[in-house]
Amino acid sequence: MKAAELRQKDVAGLEAEVKELQKAHFGLRMQKATQQLNNTSTLRTTRRAIARAKTILAEKQAAK
């Protein structure tokens, strides 16, 4: 998800997005551990998406 799309969400929506991304990242890590993950670059993209969402969430919370 792009940063512009994340900025349109409210705080509750961003928190839900972070939780969903973390759940997806955990699933990918488990796939990697059991050697079922073919494309390991998805780990990097989900990790960065989590960071992006958390950054925008922190900006919105600081603006309150």
Side-chain angles (χ1 to χ4, degrees), residues 3 36 43:
Q36 295 174 348
L43 287 169

Side-chain angles (χ1 to χ4, degrees), residues 8-63:
Q8 293 174 353
K9 292 189 175 193
D10 60 341
V11 173
L14 283 171
E15 289 172 345
E17 184 71 27
V18 168
K19 191 172 184 178
E20 181 183 323
L21 286 167
Q22 286 176 333
K23 192 173 185 179
H25 187 67
F26 178 78
L28 289 171
R29 285 190 358 241
M30 292 301 109
Q31 285 182 8
K32 183 177 185 247
T34 58
Q35 306 216 344
Q36 295 174 348
L37 185 63
N38 293 329
N39 188 3
T40 56
S41 68
T42 55
L43 287 169
R44 180 180 180 187
T45 56
T46 56
R47 193 172 62 241
R48 289 186 176 194
I50 292 168
R52 188 176 301 116
K54 281 186 173 182
T55 300
I56 294 171
L57 178 62
E59 287 174 0
K60 287 197 178 237
Q61 288 176 338

